[in-house]
């Protein structure tokens, strides 16, 4: 797996297809995370932005190889391993963005509630924001895994499905991403910081299940 991870990471870097998701994340951060804004609001925005960015990165990674090259790699290492490595590289890239975003939020965010009356502990706020971002990255991975190859091979189906699924996962009341982001926004009003461990665990379970399904189908359809 180590060799496959290096191979997929090299494909991602050399393709430059990571640039549009990165620009999306950077542009969204520039709009929603500004100096002097409440730190928990900034953290919630940064985490929510990461979900569609991660889904995009997964699509980039699982479609990076030309069909002939993918067939050769799958024959040598096994199709499910190749697919798992591609998804893992996308998730790893998203988690790097999550860490960078948490650092930016900690640097520019105001450690007070939205009404500026209550002090918010910066360490707890940063931890909560990072866990929330990781949960959103995991759910973005799940969306990307289920809305692209091998389940949906056509771009005409995959791209709209990814977009619709991202919106649903962000705004559905039962979604772990919605719960985690809402918790940060609520904390910005009350001054009580809750690290969203339960939404993170649910997101991890959903991501693991989605990736397992995608890898199983990759093994059958390759």
């Amino acid at each position: 797996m180590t060799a496959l991870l290096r191979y997929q990471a090299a494909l991602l870097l050399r393709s430059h297809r990571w640039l549009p998701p990165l620009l999306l994340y950077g542009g969204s951060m520039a709009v929603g995370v500004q100096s002097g804004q409440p730190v928990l609001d900034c953290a919630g925005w940064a985490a929510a932005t990461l979900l569609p960015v991660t889904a995009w990165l997964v699509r980039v990674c699982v479609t990076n190889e030309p069909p002939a090259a993918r067939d050769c790699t799958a024959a040598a290492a096994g199709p499910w391993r190749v697919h798992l490595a591609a998804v893992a590289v996308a998730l790893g890239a998203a988690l790097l963005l999550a860490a960078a975003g948490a650092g930016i939020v900690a640097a520019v965010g105001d450690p007070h509630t939205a009404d500026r009356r209550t002090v918010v502990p910066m360490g707890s706020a940063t931890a909560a924001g990072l866990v929330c971002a990781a949960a959103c990255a995991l759910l973005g991975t799940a969306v990307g895994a289920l809305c692209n190859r091998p389940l949906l091979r056509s771009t005409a189906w995959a791209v709209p499905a990814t977009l619709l699924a991202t919106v649903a996962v962000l705004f559905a009341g039962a979604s772990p991403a919605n719960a985690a982001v809402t918790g940060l926004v609520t904390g910005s009003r009350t001054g009580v910081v809750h690290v969203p461990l339960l939404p993170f665990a649910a997101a991890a379970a959903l991501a693991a299940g989605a990736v397992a399904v995608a890898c199983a189908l990759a093994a059958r359809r390759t």
Side-chain angles (χ1 to χ4, degrees):
M1 281 299 296
T2 301
L4 284 174
L5 290 171
R6 290 177 179 174
Y7 171 66
Q8 292 292 342
L11 281 178
L12 176 62
L13 290 174
R14 293 174 182 175
S15 71
H16 296 113
R17 293 177 66 196
W18 49 266
L19 187 57
L22 180 62
L23 291 176
L24 172 61
Y25 187 68
S28 180
M29 290 286 286
V31 171
V33 178
Q34 298 181 5
S35 179
Q37 291 182 335
V39 63
L40 289 175
D41 286 340
C42 292
W45 179 275
T49 299
L50 198 60
L51 201 156
V53 169
T54 306
W56 195 345
L57 285 170
V58 171
R59 172 165 178 77
V60 167
C61 287
V62 301
T63 59
N64 244 344
E65 284 183 287
R70 187 178 181 89
D71 289 343
C72 292
T73 309
W80 72 268
R81 289 188 179 89
V82 175
H83 197 78
L84 178 60
V87 175
V89 166
L91 177 58
L95 292 177
L96 287 176
L97 290 179
I104 293 171
V105 169
V108 306
D110 179 24
H112 291 84
T113 54
D115 58 10
R116 302 297 195 275
R117 294 181 180 180
T118 305
V119 175
V120 174
M122 184 59 77
S124 298
T126 301
L130 189 57
V131 173
C132 181
C136 289
L138 286 166
L139 288 170
T141 301
V143 169
L146 295 178
C147 294
N148 290 286
R149 60 180 303 178
L151 283 86
L152 298 178
R153 294 177 178 267
S154 170
T155 301
W157 286 102
V159 172
T162 301
L163 178 60
L164 292 174
T166 297
V167 173
V169 170
L170 270 176
F171 295 103
S175 167
N178 182 279
V181 173
T182 300
L184 293 182
V185 175
T186 301
S188 182
R189 297 173 183 171
T190 63
V192 179
V193 181
H194 293 290
V195 179
L197 294 178
L198 186 59
F200 173 80
L206 290 171
V211 173
V213 169
C215 289
L217 287 177
R220 293 184 178 182
R221 296 186 180 183
T222 300

